[in-house]
Every structure is written in structure tokens, then in C-alpha cells.
Amino acid sequence: RIIRIATDDNFWSMGDTGPCGPCSEIFYDHGDHIEGGPPGSPDEDGDRFVEIWNLVFMQYDQRGEGDRIDLPKPSIDTGMGLERVAAVMQGVHDNYDIDLFKTLIAESGSLTGTITTGDNQASHRVIADHLRASSFLVADGVLPSNEGRGYVLRRIMRRAMRHAHLLGAQDPLMHRMVGSLTGEMGNAFPELIRAKPLIEETLLREETNFRQTLANGLKLLDAEIAEMDDGDILPGATAFKLYDTFGFPYDLTEDALRAQSLGVDREGFDAAMAEQKAAARAAWKGSGDQASDAVWFDIAEREGSTEFTGYTSEEGEGVVVALVKDGKEIKTAERGDVITLLTNQTPFYGESGGQMGDAGRVSGADGFAADVSDTRKPLGRLHAHQIEITAGSLSLGDMVHLAVDADRRTQLRANHSATHLLHKALRHHLGDHVTQKGSLVAPDRLRFDFSHVSALTEPEVQAVEADVNAQIRGNSPVVTRLMSPDDAVAAGALALFGEKYGDEVRVLSMGQEADMDYSVELCGGTHVQALGDIGLMAIVSESAVASGVRRIEALTGEAARLWLTDRDNKLKAIATALKASPEEAVDRVAVLMDERKKLERELTEAKKALALAGDGGGAKAAETETVGDVAFSGQVIQGLNPKELRGLIDQAKKQLSSGVSALVAVNDGRATVAVGVTDDLTERFSAVDLVQAGVAAVGGKGGGGRLDMAQGGGPDGAKGNEAIAAIKTALAG
């Protein structure tokens, strides 16, 4: 049926301004057993008629209120609700009754032991919907964080996790549902299956951490709710404290309050957020780069993108199209000037994709010469050379010769190609969930960050390194092909999430494995012609960068050889000192370590024995005296490890049977004071009070422990005897 309704009721716009136009909306009638009327009728808000498709006749440009003009190129913008159509095709009325959601909701009910209807229905639906969204984000390389897209993911996860809490889930829930999701959608979206281990680990870690956050935040929220009546508004400052201190997203707080007919002061929350941002801006000094952004836009609009010729050549000619100094364009530059040079084309690679920019020389007519220290890539399409003019002068329109530092470029190429091999080797040994999270390709080293939840074992590191070097020894050529992004991915190329690709991309294939390319990736950087040009790769370190992100640092070529040689020389030096061969050095060190531990134990026992009998260096064995009506023994011991005090105090208490013992250990000029009180006297005297008196005498503060044993310290070890005296005074009362 076709219904015509008033234009202002059937009109789409992107906002107060911009493209807009009337709609041709398609509704589906789910039957007269459901309340509601057709669009435009008084009962249109019912659920019987559901919009499944919308075609907007985009023909106007809204300039402002009452100001609307025709678009120069009208069009039709069409959008279909896939899940709404699925509901129609499957004969159900609700999106959450389609096959995908029914499976996930049933799994949620089974794992929580709760029914999925009634008051629980909304929670189960949130869990199913947000599990799906979170899983796809993680599969695409997004990990939870406190900013950007990572924060969006964290908010989605935490909202679902709060609903799991409302359902009474005692243990982390969402990671156990990933199997059901991949079972439903894995065939259509194989990236879910590939990333399943990472998705499960990420959800488990996030939910485990959030449970403590939730507990702390709910304490504050419950306390505030207890003081509120129906319809009250939670102060924005409190909502912001929940967000800033406890990690509660605003919508999580809003959800919790809505269930109890309470609201949140959004304006107050926004004001607190703005105040924090203003303070952060005031504290941030800035790099100064933002001040010059406008000039790059002006140049790009006027001159277009720089043509990069460096894939096939390290030298070339170019015309000067812009000179920039201190964020402003200039027309000429002289000897000694440090400026930014832009040409219409260049063999210099601008820093991007983790690869550092090229350095080299620029020369021209009339003796002009300049050193290029770096090349950057403003706006992602201009190659900006950072130069210092060493001779002559330079003006707009001049023709110049550009020559890349060939040795530096060679090292950059080797390190960049090695990162591709490293990426593939990590995926081979750790799993296809490994994706690049960042990299640095410098002339002297490479750094590669990747998604993985745990530290690599030494055998894993060795296996990855061995794989890369096997490919290097194979010396297969690096093949470059230009393809569309879709064709490249279809051909098996690994696209990095978050990278922007144009209509045509470079696909780098390198290495061989079982008659297939070892590594295939989309990349705009510079690379070796054959893998043997890398020479060698040595992994120097493996470490954590952030939650779920690891980092490998490595060297290639001559740098790797020198590092291995230096390490071998150090081993030989150790072997010489041990009077052993390098092969025997490890066993010899192990023997020495065992001997050292044995001597340390013997020395500790000897010091303890000397402490009890007198140390022979001016100190006497502790003698028992009576202070008030209590037996007391006190002693200052030089060079005793403070860790031994507890055992000595226990021995002294046994010797006293009833009384108080005090010991002061002096090490490196500092004093550690310990006091012990036998059990029969703890109702009269506190070891904590007595030790605090001694600590104060050696210049310290505090001291703590139990009634029968306490310890503290101070910086003035020369006053050990004063500490004993202070303890006796406190004991005498």
C-alpha cells in the first residue's frame, strides 16, 4: 500500500544544516495482533508497522532556518535495516527473535542460570548485542583503552558486563559466549574465528578488571541513591567522579539511575569534563606543529600531492613549489637558513607507516646546496624536506637535484622488510590473532608492536627469529604489485586496520613457504629487492607495551652482526675471568652461584651467632637488666641484615622467658630498630609504642607491627645506643 503524508513528517536531514530531502519509507505490517497504526496515523507509535527501508530524495541543501536551496547534483540515499528484514523473512516481529540473537540470548540465559524473558529480557539482549559488537571490534584490531576507538569499545564491553552483574553472574561471562558467536557468524566472517583466542582473552581480562571497578563505583552510587527521592537528579560532579575515578561511562551511570526513576545532571557532567580538559590544555606545552597545519592545507590545495619517485630511484629532479619557515610560506632562503622544502616530485620517502623519513642532499644552480635531515609527510600527501642551506640561495620555481642518503636508505629498506617477515613469523608461531599495533623502522634498528596477551617464551622468540632468518637465507625476490584494495585482500594480502588505502595499493610479497608466498601485505614503504639483502636479523628484546600489546626490538645486517659479536666478546671475557672456555662458562657460573648462596647462608648464621655472643668489634652481647619491674635486653649490632632482626628478637624473647628485648641493626649509616615483648606482658606494653620511641631517636618516624613484635627505621645509625636508651625510658614509664 502507498500512503502519502505531510512532507514535514516524512523528511530526512543530517542536521540543522546540510543535504536533506523527502523520504520514500518502506514499512512492513506485522499483523493486526500487534497494536499500532500506519505511519501518519494517531497510532503510528505502535509496533505493528515497522520501517525496514528508507530512500531519501536528497535534493536540498539546508543553509539555516528558513534558508533551503536546490542541490547542484540531487541523488537518492538508500538504507535498509538488515536485521529488520531478517525478522520479516523469519516470520518474527522482534529483531532479537531472529536466529543469531536467539542463539546468543539462549547462551546468556544458560550460563547465568536465568530466564531470558520478563525483567531479565533487556539485560540478555544487551549482552548479546554488545558481545557481537565487541568481538568484531577486537577482530578488527581494536583493543580496550581510555581514548579514541578503544574507549568506545571499553564502554560497549562495560555496559554488557554491568548487565551480566545485574543477572547475578558470579564469574566473568562474555568470554564464554564467543564460541556461540563464532558458530553463528564465523563462516561468513572468518576473521572472528582467526581472532577467537584474542577476543576471549580480551573479554576475560576486561571483565575481571571491571568487576572490581564496578564494585567500587556501585558503593559510591548506592550511597548517593540512598539520599535521593524518585525523580531526583544526580549531580553532574558526582557522575563525573564515577567516570573519572572509577571508569564508569556516563551512560552506565544513566542506565543504573533510570532503573530507579532517577536522572543525571548532564550539563553538570559536561561542565566537569570541560573543566578537566581545560586544565589539561593549560598544562600541555604543545609541540608547535599545530600552528603550521594551515599552511600545509594551503599548499596541498594549491599544488596537489607530491609525486613520490623513490621506489625506483634514489635520485631525481624537482621544481620548488613551496618554502616554509616558522609555519609561514616564504619566497627565498639563504645560506644558514633552516627551512622546509617542498618540490613537485621527490625520491625522498616521507615518514609514515612506522618508517622514518629519508635524509640526504639537495643541490641546484649557482652553487646551491643543502643537507636534508628528515622528510615528513604533512596531511599524508606532501613530502616535506627539512633542510639546512649550506651554500647559495633558493627561490620558488628553482629546479633542484635531490639525492637520498643511499646507505641510510639501504638500512631502512632492510629493517622495513624484516618487520614484514617478523609479522608473519609471529602469526605463524603465536596464531592469526597477532596483528601489528605499531612499528618503528629506523636505519639502526626496528621496533614492532603486536597484539598478544602474554610474554613470549625463550623458545618462541628463538623460533620466530629462526623463521625470519630462514627466509632471509632463501633470498627470494620481493615482488610488488599494484591492485585495488579489495582485490589485494582477496589475494591474501594482510591489510592493517586503521590504515587508509586509496583506489590503488602496493602489495608486497616476500619469501616462500610450501610453494606459497610467505608474507603478503599492503605497504607503501621502501623495501629490499631480495630478502638476502637483509643479511641477518637478531631479536634484541621482547617486552610489554600495554595491556594485550607486546613489543619486539631487533637489528638487521651489519648492526645485528656487531651486536652478536659484542655479546660473544662479553661471553669470552666472562669465560677468561672464570678461567674456563666459553662453552664451560654457564656451568661454571652456576657452580659459583651455588657457592655464593652457601657462603651467604653461612655468613648470616655467623653474624647471628656473633650478635648473640658479642660481635668482637666493640659491641657486647646483650645483657639482661631490670627496667622498672621488667627484664630488658638491648643491643646495637653493626652490619647485620635487618631481615635477621625478627629471628634474633624471637630468640632473645625465649631467653628472657618474660621481658622486653630491643635490637638496633646499623647498615650503611641507617638504623633499623626492632622490639619484642613476651606474650605475658603485651597487656602492659606495646612493642609498637616502644619501637616508635627508638625510631624517633635515630631520626625516623613511625614504626609498626604487632603488640609482641614491631620494627621501624631511621637515617642516623650513629645514634643506636640513644635508641636503646629511649626504649628503656619508654618502658620505665
Side-chain angles (χ1 to χ4, degrees):
R1 300 186 179 186
I2 299 175
I3 302 173
R4 182 179 180 85
I5 61 176
T7 300
D8 56 357
D9 288 334
N10 194 34
F11 194 88
W12 185 93
S13 62
M14 62 179 292
D16 294 335
T17 61
C20 56
C23 304
S24 179
E25 297 174 341
I26 302 175
F27 286 77
Y28 181 78
D29 180 359
H30 280 274
D32 56 11
H33 63 288
I34 299 172
E35 293 185 2
S41 72
D43 301 324
E44 66 178 358
D45 290 334
D47 293 332
R48 175 177 172 178
F49 294 87
V50 176
E51 180 185 351
I52 61 172
W53 209 313
N54 190 2
L55 298 95
V56 181
F57 294 84
M58 207 73 74
Q59 62 190 79
Y60 303 116
D61 182 8
Q62 187 76 38
R63 297 294 184 88
E65 188 173 353
D67 182 13
R68 184 183 296 165
I69 64 173
D70 289 339
L71 281 174
K73 294 183 179 180
S75 61
I76 297 178
D77 183 347
T78 177
M80 178 196 76
L82 178 62
E83 287 158 349
R84 296 183 186 187
V85 172
V88 171
M89 298 299 293
Q90 294 177 21
V92 296
H93 173 252
D94 196 311
N95 287 1
Y96 289 98
D97 285 335
I98 63 176
D99 49 8
L100 166 63
F101 280 124
K102 285 178 68 175
T103 301
L104 295 178
I105 289 171
E107 179 78 352
S108 175
S110 174
L111 292 175
T112 59
T114 59
I115 61 173
T116 59
T117 56
D119 293 340
N120 295 340
Q121 185 180 72
S123 291
H124 286 295
R125 290 180 170 187
V126 168
I127 290 169
D129 181 79
H130 290 18
L131 168 72
R132 185 178 66 169
S134 300
S135 297
F136 272 93
L137 284 167
V138 173
D140 272 343
V142 183
L143 292 173
S145 68
N146 289 326
E147 59 185 11
R149 65 190 188 189
Y151 181 59
V152 174
L153 170 60
R154 176 160 283 166
R155 287 177 62 186
I156 293 171
M157 285 183 171
R158 289 187 169 186
R159 188 165 187 266
M161 291 165 183
R162 175 180 169 270
H163 280 275
H165 172 80
L166 292 176
L167 291 173
Q170 298 299 312
D171 299 307
L173 169 72
M174 293 181 67
H175 74 286
R176 292 185 286 165
M177 297 177 60
V178 176
S180 292
L181 176 66
T182 56
E184 287 294 321
M185 304 190 75
N187 287 336
F189 300 95
E191 58 266 35
L192 283 177
I193 297 174
R194 183 192 70 232
K196 183 173 180 284
L198 180 62
I199 296 170
E200 290 173 332
E201 288 289 343
T202 302
L203 287 168
L204 175 60
R205 183 175 62 252
E206 191 71 13
E207 190 164 2
T208 301
N209 294 340
F210 183 56
R211 282 178 170 268
Q212 186 59 49
T213 296
L214 187 65
N216 294 335
L218 286 177
K219 289 179 183 177
L220 173 62
L221 194 56
D222 289 343
E224 293 290 334
I225 290 174
E227 303 295 324
M228 300 171 69
D229 297 321
D230 284 354
D232 281 357
I233 301 297
L234 182 75
T238 303
F240 182 74
K241 182 179 180 181
L242 281 164
Y243 159 79
D244 193 41
T245 305
F246 299 106
F248 257 54
Y250 174 85
D251 53 357
L252 199 67
T253 301
E254 196 173 43
D255 281 353
L257 291 171
R258 187 185 299 113
Q260 303 195 42
S261 302
L262 302 171
V264 189
D265 175 15
R266 182 63 197 235
E267 290 185 2
F269 177 87
D270 291 340
M273 176 74 80
E275 183 178 346
Q276 186 196 58
K277 288 182 177 180
R281 282 195 299 269
W284 181 59
K285 304 296 183 183
S287 64
D289 290 343
Q290 288 77 6
S292 61
D293 280 350
V295 73
W296 304 126
F297 282 107
D298 292 342
I299 294 170
E301 185 175 348
R302 183 182 73 236
E303 305 293 341
S305 302
T306 308
E307 181 183 355
F308 178 60
T309 61
Y311 292 130
T312 56
S313 176
E314 294 173 357
E315 295 190 32
E317 309 297 322
V319 177
V320 177
V321 297
L323 302 172
V324 177
K325 184 176 184 180
D326 299 328
K328 297 179 180 179
E329 286 196 71
I330 58 175
K331 294 183 178 180
T332 61
E334 307 291 335
R335 178 180 176 180
D337 284 345
V338 178
I339 63 170
T340 301
L341 161 69
L342 287 93
T343 54
N344 65 324
Q345 60 183 21
T346 181
F348 282 74
Y349 184 83
E351 180 175 350
S352 59
Q355 180 176 330
M356 292 180 65
D358 281 328
R361 295 275 293 171
V362 181
S363 57
D366 300 325
F368 165 75
D371 292 327
V372 181
S373 59
D374 192 12
T375 308
R376 299 178 185 174
K377 206 171 180 181
L379 308 184
R381 50 198 177 104
L382 299 175
H383 290 243
H385 313 82
Q386 313 297 309
I387 70 170
E388 180 178 358
I389 300 176
T390 57
S393 61
L394 187 63
S395 300
L396 288 176
D398 286 354
M399 179 72 75
V400 292
H401 181 79
L402 304 107
V404 173
D405 182 333
D407 290 340
R408 187 174 183 275
R409 167 71 79 82
T410 296
Q411 294 166 342
L412 284 165
R413 281 176 169 154
N415 283 333
H416 200 163
S417 296
T419 63
H420 283 231
L421 297 177
L422 179 60
H423 192 183
K424 175 61 179 180
L426 287 166
R427 289 168 63 85
H428 177 72
H429 287 282
L430 304 181
D432 287 344
H433 66 276
V434 170
T435 55
Q436 181 177 329
K437 308 304 294 182
S439 68
L440 171 68
V441 178
D444 59 335
R445 69 192 190 284
L446 67 90
R447 186 177 71 213
F448 189 78
D449 298 344
F450 58 97
S451 54
H452 191 59
V453 295
S454 59
L456 273 65
T457 64
E458 187 58 31
E460 286 174 333
V461 172
Q462 292 176 3
V464 168
E465 186 179 75
D467 261 17
V468 173
N469 283 304
Q471 292 298 326
I472 292 172
R473 290 193 302 274
N475 196 29
S476 62
V478 174
V479 178
T480 303
R481 291 171 290 167
L482 296 179
M483 307 171 68
S484 72
D486 290 343
D487 289 343
V489 173
L494 185 63
L496 301 182
F497 185 88
E499 290 291 326
K500 295 180 180 179
Y501 299 107
D503 295 333
E504 192 174 61
V505 294
R506 298 179 79 242
V507 180
L508 272 293
S509 302
M510 56 182 71
Q512 291 292 314
E513 183 180 51
D515 298 326
M516 296 178 62
D517 292 327
Y518 181 74
S519 168
V520 184
E521 290 192 31
L522 308 186
C523 183
T526 60
H527 290 270
V528 296
Q529 293 184 344
L531 294 183
D533 296 342
I534 300 172
L536 169 71
M537 190 200 75
I539 294 177
V540 175
S541 68
E542 190 274 341
S543 60
V545 178
S547 179
V549 181
R550 307 295 301 178
R551 169 173 293 173
I552 279 180
E553 297 193 56
L555 303 172
T556 65
E558 182 65 5
R561 189 192 69 80
L562 290 174
W563 181 77
L564 291 170
T565 299
D566 180 64
R567 192 169 64 169
D568 188 55
N569 288 337
K570 289 175 180 176
L571 174 61
K572 291 177 180 177
I574 292 171
T576 299
L578 295 172
K579 297 182 178 179
S581 68
E583 292 75 18
E584 298 169 337
V586 173
D587 292 338
R588 181 64 179 134
V589 168
V591 170
L592 289 175
M593 293 299 293
D594 288 341
E595 291 177 353
R596 176 180 173 176
K597 290 178 182 178
K598 180 180 178 182
L599 290 172
E600 285 177 344
R601 288 194 298 268
E602 292 175 352
L603 181 59
T604 297
E605 294 302 319
K607 283 184 176 180
K608 289 169 65 175
L610 287 171
L612 294 173
D615 65 5
K620 297 180 179 179
E623 297 180 357
T624 303
E625 57 183 301
T626 301
V627 178
D629 61 347
V630 177
F632 175 81
S633 66
Q635 184 181 12
V636 179
I637 308 171
Q638 300 290 333
L640 182 69
N641 189 331
K643 293 181 180 179
E644 304 299 331
L645 283 174
R646 182 179 295 273
L648 291 176
I649 286 289
D650 287 341
Q651 292 184 44
K653 284 164 63 178
K654 288 180 181 178
Q655 293 176 355
L656 288 172
S657 296
S658 175
V660 174
S661 175
L663 294 173
V664 180
V666 179
N667 264 296
D668 298 326
R670 289 187 57 83
T672 304
V673 184
V675 175
V677 178
T678 56
D679 292 342
D680 61 311
L681 297 176
T682 53
E683 292 186 1
R684 294 177 57 191
F685 305 103
S686 166
V688 174
D689 295 338
L690 296 174
V691 84
Q692 287 177 352
V695 166
V698 294
K701 293 182 179 180
R706 307 186 306 271
L707 292 174
D708 64 332
M709 170 65 194
Q711 189 168 311
D716 196 348
K719 293 185 177 180
N721 289 321
E722 284 87 336
I724 298 294
I727 294 169
K728 290 169 63 176
T729 300
L731 184 62

